[in-house]
Structure formats: structure tokens, C-alpha cells
Amino acid sequence: MKIAIKQQPSRCLLLATLGAAMSLTFGMSTARGDLLFSDSFQYPVGSLSGDGPPAGSPPGQTGWTRVLPGDPQVMLSGLRYRHVFSAPGAAVFSDIGTFGDEAVANLSFVHRGIVWIGFLIRNLNAATSGYAVLGVGYSFSGYGLISNSFVYGIDNNNGQRALTPFSPSTTAADWLVVKLDFHTLTQSLYVNPTPGPIEPPVPDATLTMPFFSLDMIRINVGNNDGSYAFDEVRIATTFKEIGSAQ
């Protein structure tokens, strides 16, 4: 009588199977570990205040709080830029006099390494003055349209500025990318860099950072009698995370 012998799987096969199972189990939690903040503004049309954070957002990300007397709004259509992630919905910030329109949100505390910030911005109605920026903290640097310059740049809100030669478009969105280097305390702005895994080589504006940590961002528009749309705000520890092609 023949006795069937059950063959045991090899050690390599067991390790491979275990590795695959672990990848399936933990892949979702580790694949986006370098993402610190992400918002596509996929909220109901109306006031932005109180919206967020979106489902699946990184730990520490909060919703948006308006800064009175402003009242930023959510519009149905989103902004688009080739090969940059885009989804329906965008936030609209309008000038209502010298106080402007402003909202803030928080993220997990960062004080070392390198942080990348990316966002889409568009001039909706040919405003030609004032400012439209995404900033770090209440009184620190702002990135975007710099007050009374009508070009993109960095403003430290203490008299220090670094301007680019590029102005906002009324026909298409621009993709602005900021690199914060907490090692050298240097902040760099890139206007419409090439999306993808490779970091842009040369910044369009560079300035010393007047801050040593990051845990809050603000979007602020004012003094321009116009409206600007912001979309796809992403903050991460790698450029690839904010600039991956979609």
C-alpha cells in the first residue's frame, strides 16, 4: 500500500507568502506615510468654514475655520493642472475690503527635515492688485500673489520678499510648489514645475525662513477687489507625494 506523503512548503515560499500578506495588510498604511496634509475641497457648495478634514486625511489634519469677517466659499468645479492630482471642488476666497477673506487649518507638528507644499491657484476675475497667498501660521511667510506686485513670490510679512517674474493667469490654474528646509532654514518657491518623482532643480524664488516649525496653514486673499480659487492643497515630506502624475 502506498502512503501519500504531504510535502511541506519550502522556507522561501513561506517567507514570500508571509511577505505578500504583510504587504496587503500594511501597504495602505505605509504607502502614504510621507503625506502630512491633503485637501481637494470636495465639500458641498457653500461656506468653507467647518468643512473637513476629508475622509482618509493624515493624522493631525483638521477642518477649516474662517477668520472673521471673511467667509470663503466652496465651488463645484475644481482646478486642473496637467498631471497633478485633481478632483471636483475648489475653495474661493474673495476680497471684501481691507480685511480680505481668510481660513486656517492645522496639521501635525513638524520642526525638522524637508517639507513640500503644493497647491493650485487661479485668478477668477482679472484682479490686478492685492494679495492671494497660502501661508504658514498667522504672521509668517506667504506664498502666491504678493501684495501690490502682481507676481508670485514669497513674503515673510516682515518686509522681506522674494519675487518671481510670473503673474497669475485668468485662463488656467498655476501649480505653486514650496520647499521648506528646516536644516538650512531656507524656503524656495517653484512656479509650474514638472510634476513627477524628480525634484525641480532650480527655484524661482528663495528666502530665509523666519519660523522654526509648522503646524498650521492659512489661505488669505485681500486688497484686490477680486476672487481667487485654491485647490489640491498637499503637504508632504517628499516632492513625489505632491507631484506624482495622475
Side-chain angles (χ1 to χ4, degrees):
M1 180 179 64
K2 293 183 178 180
I3 300 175
I5 300 175
K6 183 178 181 181
Q7 295 185 348
Q8 298 294 324
S10 68
R11 186 167 181 264
C12 292
L13 179 59
L14 284 172
L15 291 175
T17 304
L18 178 61
M22 291 179 66
S23 296
L24 290 173
T25 302
F26 299 108
M28 289 299 292
S29 62
T30 59
R32 303 281 296 279
D34 51 358
L35 188 65
L36 303 175
F37 187 100
S38 179
D39 206 326
S40 297
F41 301 101
Q42 291 183 278
Y43 305 121
V45 173
S47 178
L48 174 65
S49 184
D51 285 339
S57 59
Q61 179 173 340
T62 71
W64 292 93
T65 302
R66 72 174 185 173
V67 178
L68 296 173
D71 190 16
Q73 300 289 304
V74 176
M75 70 178 189
L76 183 61
S77 58
L79 302 182
R80 294 188 176 275
Y81 186 85
R82 187 178 181 185
H83 297 315
V84 173
F85 180 82
S86 182
V92 178
F93 291 72
S94 301
D95 176 35
I96 57 172
T98 57
F99 294 103
D101 222 358
E102 184 174 0
V104 299
N106 292 93
L107 65 151
S108 293
F109 181 82
V110 183
H111 69 283
R112 61 178 132 187
I114 293 176
V115 174
W116 292 87
I117 303 173
F119 62 96
L120 299 178
I121 182 173
R122 181 177 174 183
N123 183 349
L124 294 181
N125 53 6
T128 58
S129 63
Y131 57 88
V133 297
L134 183 149
V136 178
Y138 273 109
S139 58
F140 297 135
S141 302
Y143 315 103
L145 174 66
I146 302 304
S147 181
N148 299 321
S149 68
F150 202 58
V151 294
Y152 292 129
I154 306 171
D155 190 340
N156 277 350
N157 202 29
N158 60 2
Q160 298 176 340
R161 291 181 169 186
L163 303 179
T164 76
F166 305 108
S167 298
S169 170
T170 59
T171 59
D174 290 309
W175 187 44
L176 302 191
V177 173
V178 178
K179 181 181 181 180
L180 303 179
D181 190 331
F182 287 96
H183 299 298
T184 62
L185 293 181
T186 302
Q187 50 190 340
S188 303
L189 175 66
Y190 305 82
V191 180
N192 295 327
T194 301
I198 301 175
E199 297 181 7
V202 182
D204 296 300
T206 302
L207 200 60
T208 300
M209 289 165 49
F211 53 91
F212 305 96
S213 63
L214 168 64
D215 64 356
M216 186 185 78
I217 61 171
R218 61 183 174 86
I219 299 178
N220 193 6
V221 170
N223 293 338
N224 53 31
D225 296 321
S227 299
Y228 280 80
F230 289 76
D231 202 2
E232 303 306 337
V233 177
R234 297 169 70 83
I235 304 176
T237 57
T238 64
F239 173 75
K240 180 181 179 180
E241 183 59 57
I242 66 167
S244 58
Q246 297 288 334

